[in-house]
Amino acid sequence: MPLRALAAALALALLASPAPASARRRHRRAPASTVVLDGTPTAVRWVDGDTFRILDGPHRDRSARLDGYNTLESYGPVHRFAGWDPRDLLANAKAATRAAAAGAWACALRGREDAYGRLLVACPDVAAALVGDGLAMVYAIDHPADPGLLALQAGAQRRRAGMWARGVPAGVVTSVHSAAERPDGAAYDRVVDTGTGAALKRPHGRVYGICEEVCARTGEDVACMTYVPFERRFRHRPWCLR
């Protein structure tokens, strides 16, 4: 075989061969961004526009949920409201993730966890940026929403920015839970009031099927979300996420 052909064949073989396990691990763990967490630059990987995983420091490998706002789910086309196609709203969710990962934000630990065991973190600048661009909505559980964020959201809604481009529904479904997940019978769906930011539970006793669309009415508006249990969102994904 001529030398040039042999070199080309070797190059193709190297490209086709899987990277060593250590190299693959380094690639997976490479930081996507940096935040200044309690005054210390900290490597993080943004999971979506309101959640990141901490990659170094004393809270390494912990997930952090940002306080005060919520982005649409980025694991698949699961939202539907205001005449949007679910895939368009998925594009909005992914744009929120990119915007969050592009900045070096100042954040502070809240000193407590959310219901899923994630650290609660305040990152006011990223909250303001995403809400103001219509890439996130104000989200408040058990306390009034931040007035400044509500003003930014109202401005985005008036401009029809981001997720509000086709109208502003009175409520948006942000999570759905089947009664099969809760043996205590305390299943609920959560719907966010797009005026006040209140993220309210709506208890129910229904058992949802995987990929079933669950809809909630708020006033005259209807918003929907497709049910996929957490363990199927990233592995063994059902047809509706493919």
Side-chain angles (χ1 to χ4, degrees):
M1 181 181 290
L3 184 58
R4 183 176 297 177
L6 178 60
L10 286 172
L12 287 172
L14 287 171
L15 287 171
S17 300
S22 59
R24 293 197 299 272
R25 285 194 296 269
R26 286 196 300 271
H27 176 74
R28 285 197 301 268
R29 294 175 182 174
S33 188
T34 298
V35 301
V36 180
L37 186 59
D38 283 345
T40 301
T42 303
V44 302
R45 183 184 301 282
W46 289 86
V47 178
D48 55 33
D50 58 35
T51 309
F52 58 72
R53 190 162 190 84
I54 300 172
L55 301 180
D56 62 14
H59 300 288
R60 181 178 178 178
D61 293 331
R62 293 292 304 274
S63 288
R65 174 63 163 88
L66 276 66
D67 199 17
Y69 74 94
N70 183 73
T71 58
L72 299 177
E73 298 293 349
S74 60
Y75 59 81
V78 295
H79 293 283
R80 186 169 66 86
F81 58 82
W84 284 107
D85 180 271
R87 295 195 178 276
D88 292 329
L89 292 174
L90 176 60
N92 179 280
K94 291 184 175 181
T97 307
R98 291 193 298 270
W105 314 98
C107 303
L109 291 166
R110 287 291 200 192
R112 61 185 190 278
E113 299 177 351
D114 72 357
Y116 301 98
R118 298 173 296 188
L119 297 171
L120 279 175
V121 176
C123 300
D125 290 340
V126 67
L130 296 187
V131 170
D133 286 341
L135 296 176
M137 68 189 77
V138 182
Y139 185 87
I141 297 177
D142 300 329
H143 60 80
D146 179 271
L149 284 182
L150 285 175
L152 288 170
Q153 177 166 279
Q157 291 169 344
R158 286 194 299 271
R159 299 193 313 276
R160 293 294 190 260
M163 70 177 75
W164 315 119
R166 296 186 183 178
V168 182
V172 171
V173 184
T174 59
S175 65
V176 291
H177 306 275
S178 173
E181 299 176 56
R182 299 296 299 261
D184 59 1
Y188 65 90
D189 303 328
R190 195 177 290 279
V191 181
V192 175
D193 185 306
T194 60
T196 68
L200 303 176
K201 290 182 178 180
R202 294 194 180 181
H204 68 86
R206 291 169 289 168
V207 174
Y208 299 144
I210 294 174
C211 290
E212 178 181 347
E213 187 178 62
V214 179
C215 297
R217 181 177 294 277
T218 305
E220 297 299 317
D221 298 325
V222 175
C224 304
M225 186 172 180
T226 299
Y227 171 70
V228 178
F230 181 80
E231 64 272 13
R232 296 288 301 275
R233 294 176 185 177
F234 304 100
R235 298 183 62 187
H236 309 299
R237 288 158 59 88
W239 64 267
C240 56
L241 299 187
R242 297 173 188 165

